[in-house]
Amino acid sequence: AVEVPESDVLEGLQVAQGAIQELCALQKELLEGYSVPEMDWSPVEPDSELQKKVEDLALPRVTEALNLGDKEERHQAMATVTEEVVTKLTEQDDKYAEHAKDISEILRSIEKKTMRRQILDEGKRADGRGLDDIRQITSEVGVLPRTHGSALFTRGQTQALAVVTLGTSRDEQRIDSIDSREEITKSFMLHYNFPPFSVGEAGRIMGPGRREIGHGALAERSVARMMPKDYPYTVRCLSEVMASNGCLLYTSDAAD
């Protein structure tokens, strides 16, 4: 959406919803007489006595851990709470040694409920930010001396290094597409790399995956609109993710 008012976006969603409802009605009509009856099932609930003991031991500490500002510290604090609760309950009674997984699930449920209650009642997210607060972003340009352009963007625990290379019309990307009989060329490209080390993992660096393709396409469509018409150069922008808080690994057995 290029500077579209929210009212227009809302109206478009309402039109789409009406069309989707027609499709759903058609699907129900096609399935009439062929639907499989719903299977009866009962959810597996944790032992009430165990849940009460875990809540008494962990609830204040979970609340404290969720309000730590740093995401890595929050994860580590929750892993420590889990490990210590399991250890304490096991010391009290040997029968709890077989329920370490159940204790972890109860703690996860406590964490979710505590987070939701804090957001709804206090308007405060897990790291202390309000509902309309965003992390501060810092930008640096010209960080690489021998490129046509470079910039470093940092927000929280996420960092991306963008590098721009200019070329002539001979450097345009040639594309064979089923949507056109003729060869298509692109003079602006934005490629996105998300290497394993950015989230603290070890892995092979291979061809682009769905994340790289999807993120790159979204960024390319947004930046391409800022390119001047009849620009004589071919432009390739490469976004290298240096760090991301999307996933963090811990060696603690409790965290696993």
Side-chain angles (χ1 to χ4, degrees):
V2 185
E3 303 298 332
V4 178
E6 289 188 7
S7 58
D8 291 352
V9 175
L10 178 60
E11 184 180 353
L13 291 174
Q14 290 171 341
V15 172
Q17 185 183 30
I20 291 172
Q21 288 173 341
E22 293 180 10
L23 292 174
C24 291
L26 177 61
Q27 292 175 35
K28 290 179 180 178
E29 183 181 342
L30 291 171
L31 288 172
E32 190 173 347
Y34 297 95
S35 300
V36 178
E38 292 186 4
M39 181 178 62
D40 294 331
W41 68 281
S42 300
V44 178
E45 300 290 346
D47 180 73
S48 57
E49 179 185 353
L50 176 61
Q51 183 162 352
K52 180 68 168 56
K53 288 188 175 183
V54 174
E55 288 178 352
D56 291 341
L57 287 172
L59 187 55
R61 297 188 60 188
V62 169
T63 304
E64 181 182 350
L66 285 177
N67 283 285
L68 294 173
D70 185 81
K71 185 175 183 178
E72 186 173 355
E73 290 180 3
R74 286 201 306 275
H75 281 239
Q76 193 60 56
M78 282 303 305
T80 302
V81 171
T82 303
E83 188 173 358
E84 291 181 358
V85 169
V86 171
T87 301
K88 192 163 187 176
L89 288 175
T90 304
E91 290 175 352
Q92 291 178 1
D93 196 327
D94 291 340
K95 69 177 182 180
Y96 293 127
E98 302 176 0
H99 296 281
K101 185 176 180 181
D102 295 333
I103 294 172
S104 298
E105 290 294 327
I106 294 172
L107 281 167
R108 180 61 178 158
S109 176
I110 293 172
E111 181 183 359
K112 289 181 180 179
K113 291 177 181 177
T114 302
M115 185 184 301
R116 291 189 182 115
R117 185 168 56 248
Q118 182 171 295
I119 292 172
L120 295 174
D121 296 345
E122 303 176 25
K124 188 169 64 174
R125 288 186 281 179
D127 59 357
R129 284 181 294 150
L131 302 183
D132 55 356
D133 294 336
I134 61 173
R135 295 184 179 94
Q136 182 180 1
I137 186 171
T138 58
S139 306
E140 303 175 48
V141 296
V143 292
L144 301 178
R146 297 184 64 82
T147 61
H148 291 135
S150 62
L152 186 67
F153 304 95
T154 307
R155 169 175 280 160
Q157 294 174 314
T158 298
Q159 187 176 74
L161 174 65
V163 182
V164 175
T165 303
L166 301 179
T168 66
S169 59
R170 296 178 61 184
D171 297 311
E172 291 182 347
Q173 183 178 12
R174 295 179 296 175
I175 302 171
D176 290 327
S177 173
I178 61 174
D179 297 323
S180 174
R181 294 182 179 181
E182 299 178 357
E183 186 179 73
I184 301 173
T185 59
K186 286 175 60 176
S187 60
F188 176 76
M189 298 155 278
L190 193 151
H191 298 144
Y192 176 95
N193 289 333
F194 194 89
F197 69 78
S198 65
V199 287
E201 296 178 354
R204 291 187 296 174
I205 297 179
M206 303 175 66
R210 290 186 299 172
R211 181 187 186 117
E212 286 86 351
I213 294 172
H215 282 46
L218 286 172
E220 180 176 305
R221 286 204 295 267
S222 62
V223 178
R225 299 184 182 278
M226 308 301 294
M227 297 292 296
K229 294 182 179 180
D230 301 324
Y231 193 63
Y233 298 102
T234 298
V235 181
R236 181 183 183 237
C237 183
L238 177 62
S239 177
E240 292 278 1
V241 177
M242 311 303 292
S244 174
N245 68 353
C247 176
L248 293 171
L249 299 182
Y250 296 95
T251 56
S252 167
D253 293 335
D256 294 340

